[in-house]
Amino acid sequence: MTGSSLTVEGVSKRFGGLLAVNKVSLRAEAGKILSVIGPNGAGKTTFFNLLTGIYEPDEGQVLFGNRNITGKKSDSIASLGIGRTFQNIRLFSGMTVLENVLVGHHNRIRTNYASAIFRWGGFGKEERRAEARAHELLRYLQLDERADDLAANLSYGDQRRLEIARALALEPTLLLLDEPAAGMNPQETEDLKHTILALKADLGLTIVLIEHDMAMVMTLSDRITVLEYGSVIADGLPEEVKANPRVIEAYLGKGGANA
C-alpha cells in the first residue's frame, strides 16, 4: 500500500437552516498525516461523512488522487481505497476479532454470489487469502492472540485497534481516523501514537486524523487544518497553528499554546 492524496475544494453541506460545513478546502499530501481539529460542533465528523459518501456535498468537490469521488456511494468510495474508523466504536460485538477484520475485507472478494454459496472455483482460495491477511493485520496491531475472542470482550483500547485493523482490511491508501484516542488512558494513547506513525512509515498510508488530544495532534501531524462553525480558520504546519491567535482563542485556549 502506498498513500494517495486527498484534495477538497470548496465543500459545503447544509441541514435545513444549519450550514454544517462551509466551503472547506484542504489537501492531504500522499504519505503524510493531516489533522483536522476544532471544538465540538465544528463540523469535523460531518466533513468525514462527506468524504466517505454518507452525505453528499451541496457544493464543491472531493478528489482522491486524480479521481473525482464527489457524490459517490460509501461502498464505491471504500472499494477505491478509502478506509475509516468512527468516533463511536462500531464493531460487531457478537462476532470474533478475526470475523470483524474479515468483514472489512469483503470489498476485496472478487468471486460472485454463486461461487460463495456453493464454494466453487476461486472462492476457497479468496477465503484463505482473506483469513491470512486478517491474521497478518491482527499481528501487526498486536491482537493476534485475541483472534478467536468476541470483540465485546476486548478492552476499550484493543477495540479501537481492532477498528483500525478492520479499516486496513480494505487495503486503503487513505485512512480516516475519527477521534481514535477518545476514551483511552495515557498508555493506550501513547501506544496508539506509535501505531499511527508505523502505519505512515511502514505502509506509506495517507492519514487524515480528527482528534481532541492536542499533544497527540502536535506530535503526529505533518499539517493541521482547523475548523470552527464549519469553516476553515487556520491551515499550516503544527508550529504555525499552535501559535495562531485565532486558533488559541477558538479551540486551544490560553493554555493550549504550551501543549
Side-chain angles (χ1 to χ4, degrees):
M1 288 182 275
T2 55
S4 298
S5 63
L6 174 74
T7 304
V8 180
E9 300 176 343
V11 164
S12 296
K13 183 63 181 178
R14 288 184 179 275
F15 297 100
L18 173 66
L19 183 58
V21 175
N22 182 23
K23 298 185 183 301
V24 169
S25 296
L26 56 77
R27 180 172 172 82
E29 298 288 343
K32 303 292 186 180
I33 298 176
L34 169 71
S35 289
V36 178
I37 68 172
N40 290 329
K44 303 182 297 297
T45 294
T46 299
F47 178 67
F48 263 23
N49 289 340
L50 291 169
L51 299 182
T52 54
I54 295 175
Y55 301 143
E56 185 173 348
D58 295 324
E59 60 181 304
Q61 63 178 1
V62 180
L63 303 175
F64 178 48
N66 296 320
R67 186 190 296 262
N68 190 333
I69 63 170
T70 312
K72 287 187 176 296
K73 300 300 183 184
S74 295
D75 57 343
S76 297
I77 289 173
S79 68
L80 291 173
I82 298 180
R84 74 170 291 183
T85 64
F86 292 85
Q87 182 177 356
N88 299 314
I89 293 175
R90 297 188 182 182
L91 296 174
F92 297 99
S93 59
M95 295 170 63
T96 68
V97 169
L98 178 64
E99 288 167 343
N100 269 271
V101 179
L102 288 172
V103 167
H105 193 82
H106 77 279
N107 271 6
R108 297 303 178 195
I109 299 293
R110 301 304 180 195
T111 50
N112 59 33
Y113 288 116
S115 297
I117 293 170
F118 296 106
R119 310 184 77 81
W120 291 339
F123 178 76
K125 186 180 295 184
E126 287 271 8
E127 189 176 39
R128 289 191 296 274
R129 187 177 78 86
E131 287 198 14
R133 178 58 177 158
H135 281 293
E136 181 182 332
L137 290 170
L138 290 175
R139 283 193 296 273
Y140 186 79
L141 289 163
Q142 300 178 355
L143 291 170
D144 49 310
E145 294 185 357
R146 307 298 301 273
D148 295 325
D149 293 345
L150 292 179
N153 293 336
L154 295 182
S155 69
Y156 186 86
D158 283 350
Q159 288 186 14
R160 286 287 185 187
R161 292 214 306 277
L162 178 54
E163 273 210 315
I164 294 174
R166 185 174 62 185
L168 292 176
L170 286 167
E171 300 177 12
T173 55
L174 170 64
L175 182 62
L176 309 177
L177 301 175
D178 192 349
E179 296 194 33
M184 285 188 172
N185 63 42
Q187 185 57 57
E188 289 171 335
T189 300
E190 187 64 24
D191 292 343
L192 177 64
K193 283 196 293 186
H194 291 299
T195 296
I196 293 173
L197 288 172
L199 293 174
K200 174 187 172 184
D202 298 343
L203 305 180
L205 290 180
T206 305
I207 298 171
V208 181
L209 172 74
I210 292 174
E211 185 52 61
H212 281 293
D213 186 322
M214 286 300 100
M216 181 176 179
V217 166
M218 294 300 168
T219 300
L220 293 177
S221 307
D222 294 296
R223 194 169 187 88
I224 299 173
T225 299
V226 187
L227 298 182
E228 184 184 27
Y229 299 118
S231 299
V232 175
I233 62 169
D235 180 84
L237 301 175
E239 297 78 11
E240 296 169 339
V241 169
K242 189 177 182 179
N244 186 305
R246 189 172 178 188
V247 175
I248 295 170
E249 179 182 357
Y251 181 58
L252 296 179
K254 297 300 183 182
N258 298 318

